[in-house]
């Protein structure tokens, strides 16, 4: 039997293949590009293309594609075959360096937010050699960036790579100041924990809302939900276990380090976490993981729901973005070190993150803003829409001691001076309070927990990398000019703590009192996507992102447009689905049941006119009134949607969605869900919450 070590990465053109199939010169040159970002020579690209093609063909591939991540949030590919005619009437398999490096998908239908006028309909894709090519089905997929002809990024990878570069540049400046001359590169790494629901295909097929929108738009609460906490880490059912086993196999073949899996809090909810890796690779891998999750589910007669909030009243699904920064020598810069000097450096990087999260709370919130995630953030299962940092009691008291110049209680020395004392070892704080924080320090990394389960992790990491790069830039500017390095360092750390301690919150983030307290502290609370996204255009955000070289002004504007457009479109599709379900399924079903009850009452009365039929009468009245309400609310919802002026500025349209369409959707749902609790099960036109949530036996 083949073991995992035999087939791990078997579908990836990874370092092992490169080493064995490329000449030493070509390999070293490519390695330099991958590790240090040096420019790639066309001769090297040609040699790599031939080796890549030979390997892919030997492994069953017939086609290749530039694989990219347009702003739709999913991945895109356009397949070309390797075949080229040979003079003798046959074909040869061909692939050149030019084809490897650059592609031109006819991409005029991808959203560009006005960046690409129709006369410039074609974008181009450019190879990202730092993320390995892989085979999916019979196609060699080459991870690429996607840009317009004028060079504007039309995807998520380009700004992510730029943000990693910005962070690298500024972090290196800081490391040099600490005397580190040998480090060549600093990279951020991410381990995203992915939550999802598994339900059967049968129940899914019967729910138009799940099919069209990925979430249930109607549904009364099931008698049993997650109250008993009996699903979390519970025994995995055989059908789910078989699914997870195949999913792991598929991911391992693609070199994805799927590591842990367990049941989550809600019934039918599960989680998969990979071992962390370089951010752009982790991002590619997470996109592939989401795709494979759905494919493997289909093979098992299941459907994998990646929506942030598939079921009301039941925990939604998020993604925990575990983030750290480290050097090419493997030193984690967010890990308290062994020597006083390393500790001072650790504290500086820690402060850079604290300052970044406080200064750019809005950008972090914006990076996770979608119609789906709005249902989760702020509900009492996910972090609130307010961004704050959890440090844990111990690290918090260290910072307090530094700020106030007072002795740290458990340190051996009476007073802690940076660069003099050794910091205590921080044990990872695993309290419940920790788990309610949107941004928690977990020993040697930060866990950003506001991401929705279907989000690409690119956006969150673009903002995180850029904001931290900006803190580091400010620090480096000041320290490079300082006469007394240690004093300047100490002063700057104290100043950061003083200026930004409002963002630190070690209490329970699910508590209502925290929102009041946060408001008092002046922290932002953008509850919806419509509230958050316009702030992408705030001057301070545009200045930072452009000066760090992560986005151009035009790119920021285009992302603003596209994100709000997505929000508006998503909710309109939901609203239309609701109207259709209400009018063609729900109301007729309730009506039919109501008629049946009335008929039975009439029959009874015909037998004996003295029978009161009190139950039937009351029920008929209630159901009849509810049917009226369902119709009325469906009409009102329809009007709300028609009321959106599609020529209006997009943020105006988003406001109508927030203030009117979503409100009407809530009203329609309330009437329908009440009717569901009164209607005989046989009459209900689609599977209920109980049917869906417990569909996988
Ligand atoms: P949990 O949050 O469920 O307790 P862990 O903390 O063990 O689990 O890990 C969660 C994720 O964090 C995993 O994907 C893991 O690989 C990742 N991770 C661990 N260390 C780091 C690190 N230094 N940088 C980034 N991610 C990390
Ligand atoms: Mg976690």
């Amino acid at each position: 039997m083949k073991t995992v070590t035999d087939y791990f990465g078997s579908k990836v053109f990874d370092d092992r293949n490169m080493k064995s199939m490329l000449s030493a010169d070509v390999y070293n040159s490519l390695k330099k590009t991958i590790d240090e970002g040096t420019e790639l020579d066309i001769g090297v690209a040609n040699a790599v293309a031939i080796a890549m093609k030979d390997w892919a063909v030997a492994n069953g591939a017939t086609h290749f594609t530039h694989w990219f991540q347009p702003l739709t949030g999913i991945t895109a590919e356009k397949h070309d075959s390797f075949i080229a005619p040979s003079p003798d009437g046959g074909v040869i398999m061909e692939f050149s360096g030019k084809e490897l490096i650059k592609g031109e998908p006819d991409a005029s239908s991808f959203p560009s937010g006005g960046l690409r006028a129709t006369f410039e309909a074609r974008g181009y894709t450019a190879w990202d050699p730092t993320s390995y090519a892989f085979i999916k089905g019979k196609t060699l997929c080459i991870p690429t960036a996607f840009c317009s002809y004028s060079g504007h990024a039309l995807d998520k990878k380009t700004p992510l790579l730029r943000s990693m570069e910005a962070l690298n540049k500024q972090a290196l400046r800081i490391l040099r100041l600490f005397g580190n001359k040998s480090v060549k590169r600093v990279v951020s790494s991410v381990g995203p924990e992915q939550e999802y629901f598994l339900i059967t295909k049968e129940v899914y097929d019967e729910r138009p809302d799940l099919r069209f929108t990925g979430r249930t738009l109607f549904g009364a609460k099931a008698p049993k939900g997650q109250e008993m906490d009996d699903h979390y880490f519970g025994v995995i059912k055989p059908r789910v276990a078989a699914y997870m086993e195949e999913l792991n196999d598929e991911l391992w073949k693609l070199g994805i380090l799927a590591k842990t899996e367990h049941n989550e809090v809600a019934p039918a909810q599960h989680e998969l976490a990979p071992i962390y890796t370089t951010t752009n690779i982790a991002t590619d891998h997470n996109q592939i993981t989401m795709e494979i999750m759905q494919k493997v589910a289909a093979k098992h007669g299941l459907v994998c729901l990646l929506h942030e909030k598939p079921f009301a009243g039941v925990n939604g699904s998020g993604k925990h973005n575990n983030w750290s920064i480290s050097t090419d020598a493997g030193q984690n810069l967010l890990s308290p070190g062994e020597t006083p000097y390393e500790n001072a450096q650790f504290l500086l990087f820690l402060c850079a993150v604290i300052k970044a999260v406080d200064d750019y709370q809005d950008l972090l919130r914006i990076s996770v803003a979608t119609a789906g995630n709005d249902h989760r953030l702020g509900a009492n299962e996910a972090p609130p829409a307010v961004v704050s940092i959890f440090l844990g009691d111990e690290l918090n008291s260290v910072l307090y001691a530094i700020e106030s110049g007072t002795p740290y209680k458990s340190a051996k020395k009476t007073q802690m001076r940076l660069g003099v004392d050794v910091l205590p070892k921080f044990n990872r704080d695993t309290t419940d309070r920790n788990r309610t924080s949107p941004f928690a320090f977990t020993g040697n990394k930060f866990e950003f927990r506001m991401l929705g389960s279907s989000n690409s992790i690119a956006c969150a990491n673009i903002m995180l990398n850029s904001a931290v790069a900006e803190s580091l830039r400010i620090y480096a500017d000041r320290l490079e000019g300082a006469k007394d390095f240690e004093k300047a360092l100490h002063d700057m750390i104290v100043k950061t703590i003083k200026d930004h301690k409002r963002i630190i919150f070690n209490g329970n983030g699910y508590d209502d009192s925290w929102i009041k307290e946060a408001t008092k502290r002046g922290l932002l609370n953008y509850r919806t996507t419509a509230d958050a996204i316009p702030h992408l255009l705030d001057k301070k955000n545009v200045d930072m992102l452009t000066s760090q070289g992560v986005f151009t002004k035009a790119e920021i504007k285009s992302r603003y447009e596209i994100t709000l457009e997505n929000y508006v479109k998503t909710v309109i599709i939901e609203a239309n689905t609701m109207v259709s379900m209400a009018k063609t399924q729900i109301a007729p079903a309730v009506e039919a049941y109501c008629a049946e009850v009335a008929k039975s009452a009439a029959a009874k009365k015909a037998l004996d006119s003295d029978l009161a039929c009190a139950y039937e009468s009351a029920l008929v009245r209630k159901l009849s009134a509810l049917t009226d309400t369902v119709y009325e609310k469906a009409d009102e919802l329809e009007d709300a949607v028609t009321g959106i002026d599609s020529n209006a500025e997009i943020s105006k349209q988003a406001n109508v969605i927030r203030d009117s369409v979503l409100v009407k959707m809530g009203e329609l749902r309330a009437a329908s869900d009440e009717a569901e609790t009164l209607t005989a099960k046989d009459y209900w036109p689609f599977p209920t919450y109980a049917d869906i949530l417990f569909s996988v036996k």
Side-chain angles (χ1 to χ4, degrees):
M1 207 182 95
K2 277 204 162 187
T3 62
V4 179
T5 44
D6 294 328
Y7 64 82
F8 184 87
S10 59
K11 293 184 171 182
V12 186
F13 190 67
D14 60 14
D15 201 58
R16 295 174 298 185
N17 292 313
M18 293 182 193
K19 217 178 221 157
S20 71
M21 298 185 71
L22 298 169
S23 72
D25 277 358
V26 171
Y27 173 79
N28 289 335
S29 170
L30 178 63
K31 220 28 203 148
K32 219 168 144 59
T33 300
I34 294 174
D35 295 341
E36 296 166 38
T38 51
E39 210 157 301
L40 194 84
D41 177 90
I42 184 71
V44 173
N46 277 326
V48 176
I50 291 169
M52 211 187 250
K53 183 256 303 171
D54 287 346
W55 168 82
V57 171
N59 283 282
T62 53
H63 288 65
F64 70 93
T65 180
H66 276 200
W67 181 81
F68 58 102
Q69 297 162 37
L71 297 168
T72 50
I74 49 171
T75 58
E77 41 198 78
K78 173 196 164 213
H79 299 185
D80 280 307
S81 76
F82 289 119
I83 61 163
S86 64
D88 60 3
V91 290
I92 49 165
M93 301 300 252
E94 242 183 27
F95 188 48
S96 68
K98 209 170 132 246
E99 286 171 303
L100 168 64
I101 294 178
K102 193 166 169 179
E104 291 186 31
D106 179 8
S108 50
S109 298
F110 291 113
S112 79
L115 270 186
R116 193 184 37 213
T118 34
F119 63 83
E120 202 203 283
R122 307 194 78 166
Y124 70 90
T125 48
W127 179 35
D128 168 15
T130 60
S131 183
Y132 297 139
F134 56 93
I135 297 175
K136 213 174 59 181
K138 287 184 172 297
T139 303
L140 169 70
C141 298
I142 301 153
T144 54
F146 177 43
C147 298
S148 77
Y149 255 96
S150 41
H152 288 302
L154 296 171
D155 69 344
K156 303 196 177 191
K157 187 189 269 280
T158 308
L160 180 64
L161 291 171
R162 291 175 186 158
S163 75
M164 290 171 70
E165 190 46 45
L167 184 62
N168 169 52
K169 188 171 151 196
Q170 302 305 333
L172 281 179
R173 286 176 71 194
I174 298 287
L175 292 179
R176 300 285 182 257
L177 284 164
F178 278 88
N180 190 331
K181 301 230 162 28
S182 57
V183 169
K184 289 204 187 80
R185 204 164 172 81
V186 171
V187 291
S188 62
S189 302
V190 167
E193 300 164 58
Q194 175 76 48
E195 292 181 337
Y196 60 99
F197 280 84
L198 273 187
I199 61 174
T200 63
K201 175 111 175 30
E202 291 82 31
V203 290
Y204 173 85
D205 280 343
E206 287 186 52
R207 298 274 318 206
D209 46 3
L210 284 176
R211 283 192 287 122
F212 296 138
T213 73
R215 73 176 180 111
T216 55
L217 300 167
F218 296 101
K221 212 167 168 276
K224 179 180 190 294
Q226 62 198 51
E227 301 78 2
M228 308 291 285
D229 283 331
D230 54 354
H231 191 253
Y232 192 49
F233 281 65
V235 177
I236 298 173
K237 290 177 186 146
R239 195 164 172 193
V240 175
Y243 165 80
M244 287 175 168
E245 199 176 300
E246 186 171 346
L247 176 60
N248 280 338
D249 271 352
E250 289 304 316
L251 295 176
W252 288 337
K253 284 184 207 158
L254 288 165
I256 297 172
L257 293 154
K259 173 83 174 164
T260 50
E261 60 210 7
H262 59 77
N263 287 350
E264 262 299 329
V265 175
Q269 193 183 31
H270 313 279
E271 182 189 289
L272 178 134
I275 296 173
Y276 68 100
T277 181
T278 314
T279 306
N280 67 319
I281 297 171
T283 305
D284 288 354
H285 281 182
N286 184 246
Q287 292 297 128
I288 302 171
T289 300
M290 291 194 284
E291 187 183 322
I292 305 282
M293 278 178 152
Q294 286 165 311
K295 273 197 187 141
V296 174
K299 280 176 71 179
H300 288 249
L302 301 169
V303 175
C304 170
L305 301 177
L306 289 169
H307 194 282
E308 284 72 27
K309 191 75 181 174
F311 307 100
V314 173
N315 268 12
S317 298
K319 190 131 64 183
H320 290 177
N321 190 82
N322 293 275
W323 176 91
S324 66
I325 24 181
S326 55
T327 67
D328 57 344
Q331 187 194 5
N332 180 346
L333 298 170
L334 296 177
S335 187
E338 300 296 331
T339 68
Y341 233 63
E342 282 171 357
N343 283 327
Q345 187 180 295
F346 160 72
L347 283 171
L348 189 66
F349 278 99
L350 180 75
C351 283
V353 177
I354 294 171
K355 177 174 163 55
V357 174
D358 188 28
D359 285 341
Y360 300 100
Q361 300 162 44
D362 42 4
L363 288 182
L364 292 178
R365 171 67 184 95
I366 284 165
S367 75
V368 300
T370 59
N373 216 14
D374 282 359
H375 298 292
R376 203 174 72 90
L377 299 177
N380 67 358
E381 62 179 84
V386 179
V387 179
S388 66
I389 300 184
F390 177 94
L391 291 178
D393 293 334
E394 189 154 30
L395 187 50
N396 203 49
S397 16
V398 168
L399 292 192
Y400 177 76
I402 295 171
E403 181 204 0
S404 56
T406 51
Y408 175 62
K409 55 178 175 4
S410 68
K412 284 189 210 85
K413 307 262 166 50
T414 48
Q415 180 146 348
M416 186 140 83
R417 254 184 61 79
L418 293 165
V420 180
D421 291 348
V422 176
L423 288 177
K425 272 263 169 277
F426 302 111
N427 287 325
R428 185 179 158 169
D429 188 317
T430 50
T431 56
D432 273 352
R433 292 171 296 130
N434 170 334
R435 279 191 259 135
T436 64
S437 174
F439 203 95
F441 182 69
T442 48
N444 61 359
K445 63 185 191 290
F446 280 96
E447 190 166 337
F448 183 30
R449 302 189 175 118
M450 289 172 88
L451 290 77
S453 48
S454 70
N455 285 172
S456 156
I457 62 169
C459 307
N461 289 295
I462 291 169
M463 296 310 179
L464 198 48
N465 290 338
S466 312
V468 174
E470 179 67 3
S471 300
L472 295 174
R473 179 195 64 79
I474 293 169
Y475 290 173
D477 283 355
R478 226 172 284 163
L479 289 175
E480 279 167 357
K483 286 202 193 75
D484 179 346
F485 176 73
E486 259 196 33
K487 182 172 181 311
L489 178 66
H490 180 266
D491 290 351
M492 217 162 51
I493 288 179
V494 171
K495 182 173 159 47
T496 301
I497 302 170
K498 275 201 167 66
D499 291 351
H500 299 286
K501 64 182 171 193
R502 64 171 188 166
I503 197 77
I504 299 168
F505 176 63
N506 291 299
N508 180 358
Y510 293 0
D511 214 339
D512 282 343
S513 62
W514 161 235
I515 304 301
K516 286 198 199 99
E517 161 73 14
T519 314
K520 237 189 268 163
R521 293 189 191 186
L523 299 183
L524 301 171
N525 185 8
Y526 296 140
R527 294 197 36 253
T528 69
T529 302
D531 298 311
I533 300 298
H535 294 282
L536 184 56
L537 303 182
D538 287 358
K539 184 170 182 309
K540 77 165 198 8
N541 294 334
V542 174
D543 286 352
M544 186 278 278
L545 291 167
T546 52
S547 71
Q548 286 296 339
V550 174
F551 285 118
T552 62
K553 259 189 187 163
E555 286 167 354
I556 296 175
K557 184 77 198 314
S558 84
R559 266 145 231 260
Y560 155 86
E561 296 265 347
I562 290 169
T563 314
L564 284 179
E565 251 169 47
N566 277 344
Y567 173 73
V568 171
K569 282 185 194 160
T570 304
V571 180
I572 290 180
I573 293 172
E574 290 181 348
N576 289 338
T577 306
M578 280 190 96
V579 170
S580 148
M581 286 172 80
K583 290 192 172 176
T584 66
Q585 292 188 280
I586 296 168
V590 181
E591 188 54 39
Y593 179 56
C594 190
E596 178 65 35
V597 177
K599 211 167 97 193
S600 122
K604 282 193 197 169
K605 274 197 182 286
L607 266 180
D608 177 354
S609 60
D610 287 343
L611 281 175
C613 294
Y615 158 74
E616 288 90 340
S617 312
L619 188 57
V620 166
R621 262 185 223 106
K622 262 195 216 160
L623 288 177
S624 181
L626 282 169
T627 323
D628 288 349
T629 314
V630 166
Y631 266 114
E632 194 182 295
K633 292 296 167 193
D635 279 342
E636 287 175 20
L637 178 55
E638 233 171 346
D639 289 346
V641 173
T642 354
I644 301 169
D645 172 7
S646 57
N647 293 318
E649 211 277 327
I650 192 70
S651 67
K652 294 234 166 61
Q653 296 182 45
N655 289 345
V656 178
I657 291 285
R658 178 196 58 202
D659 300 333
S660 151
V661 178
L662 282 164
V663 176
K664 290 291 163 210
M665 281 167 64
E667 290 171 6
L668 173 55
R669 177 174 186 150
S672 165
D673 288 359
E674 194 186 340
E676 184 188 331
T677 63
L678 298 171
T679 303
K681 176 95 171 69
D682 285 353
Y683 280 78
W684 201 248
F686 33 72
T688 63
Y689 266 30
D691 298 331
I692 306 171
L693 286 167
F694 298 93
S695 62
V696 181
K697 302 273 173 3

